[in-house]
Amino acid sequence: MRQRYMGERGCCYCQEVFQPSKFQPLQAVCSGSECQRKRRADYHRNKIVDDPEYREVCRDSSRKWRAANPGYWKQYREKHPACTEQNRQQQKARDQKQRLCQLANNTSALDLKHSVAQVWLVGPGAAHLANNNSARAQVWVIEALSARPVSSP
Ligand SMILES: [Zn+2]
C-alpha cells in the first residue's frame, strides 16, 4: 500500500485509498460505481429495518410498481431460471437462519438464554447466535439435515 496523504482513507468496501470529498468529511466509501452501489444498497437495507416510515414508503411504492407492471416477475423468472434458482436457495438459507433464531429465543420449554446450560448451535447461519449464551452445562441444539430421497439400486 502506498503512503497515505492527509485526510486519505481506505474505502470500507474495496479498501482502495481515496480522498474524501471536502463536502463529505466523514465519507467512508470511495466514488467507484460498484462501491457506491453497495453503499446505497446497505443504506436502504438498514433504513428499512430502522425506519418504519421509510419502510412504509418503500412498500407502498413497490406495491404501485407491481400494480403498474403485472406479470413482470413471472416473465423475469421464466427468462432467468439460474437467478431464480439462486434466489430460491438464498431465501431457503434465510428461512433456515430465522428458524434457528426462533429456536434460540424459544424460552417456553427451556430458557436457553438464562439457564446455566451452554448452548451450542450447529448448522449454517448459527455462528452469529454464539453470543446468546452464558453457561456451564451443555445443551446441543442440532439442526436436522433435510431428508434426501433414497435412490433405488
Ligand atoms: Zn471502494
Side-chain angles (χ1 to χ4, degrees), residues 11-16 29-32 35:
C11 168
C12 65
Y13 292 111
C14 68
Q15 272 77 48
E16 290 291 322
V29 180
C30 76
S31 57
C35 294

Side-chain angles (χ1 to χ4, degrees), residues 26-122:
L26 299 176
Q27 186 182 346
V29 180
C30 76
S31 57
S33 60
E34 182 59 13
C35 294
Q36 286 296 319
R37 193 191 59 74
K38 284 183 189 163
R39 181 188 62 78
R40 282 191 300 271
D42 283 352
Y43 172 83
H44 175 72
R45 200 173 299 127
N46 292 332
K47 187 90 172 152
I48 247 177
V49 171
D50 296 339
D51 185 340
E53 205 173 308
Y54 182 86
R55 184 164 56 230
E56 199 39 56
V57 169
C58 288
R59 200 175 283 160
D60 195 50
S61 92
S62 54
R63 206 178 289 141
K64 281 179 189 153
W65 188 89
R66 280 196 305 272
N69 300 274
Y72 174 87
W73 286 111
K74 190 174 185 290
Q75 279 175 24
Y76 178 88
R77 285 191 292 269
E78 282 164 7
K79 280 187 202 152
H80 304 89
C83 288
T84 304
E85 182 52 29
Q86 193 189 4
N87 284 340
R88 194 168 289 144
Q89 293 305 326
Q90 285 170 345
Q91 185 57 50
K92 231 184 218 175
R94 283 192 293 268
D95 290 347
Q96 202 165 30
K97 202 162 159 185
Q98 201 181 3
R99 276 198 302 276
L100 278 167
C101 286
Q102 283 165 354
L103 191 60
N105 289 326
N106 178 9
T107 54
S108 59
L110 169 64
D111 192 335
L112 295 180
K113 274 186 178 167
H114 302 100
S115 76
V116 292
Q118 183 168 11
V119 180
W120 291 73
L121 296 159
V122 180

